[in-house]
Amino acid sequence: MFNDGKNFDGKDKMVEWNWTIENETQLINDFICKKATCYNSGVTFSAWVTEDLPISDGPDKFWGLPGLILKVSNPFYERV
């Protein structure tokens, strides 16, 4: 059993993504997406965001853009 069945308190915080929106677009599932990049934890991330779905969220821990992130990647990872 996890932690021997004892309760514990923990703290975590959301990653602050300091995105830069680039002058590049891509069509993903019939949505026009803008490219955004961010350097975090020693890695450059690329995200493709559509403003047609005005939800500032995305896969996994990615968020903070003016629309839904439909794809995110770095040299080691890709999530659609």
Side-chain angles (χ1 to χ4, degrees), residues 15-22 35-48 61-65 69 72-75:
V15 174
E16 288 293 328
W17 299 102
N18 296 311
W19 297 106
T20 301
I21 296 179
E22 308 291 339
K35 183 179 184 179
T37 58
C38 180
Y39 185 77
N40 194 322
S41 303
V43 178
T44 298
F45 293 87
S46 296
W48 294 92
K61 60 187 172 222
F62 300 98
W63 61 282
L65 285 164
I69 299 170
V72 66
S73 64
N74 68 36

Side-chain angles (χ1 to χ4, degrees), residues 1-3 11 18 37 42 46-47 65 68-69 71-72 79:
M1 179 175 255
F2 180 73
N3 199 37
K11 290 186 179 183
N18 296 311
T37 58
S46 296
L65 285 164
L68 187 63
I69 299 170
K71 179 179 176 181
V72 66
R79 186 69 179 227

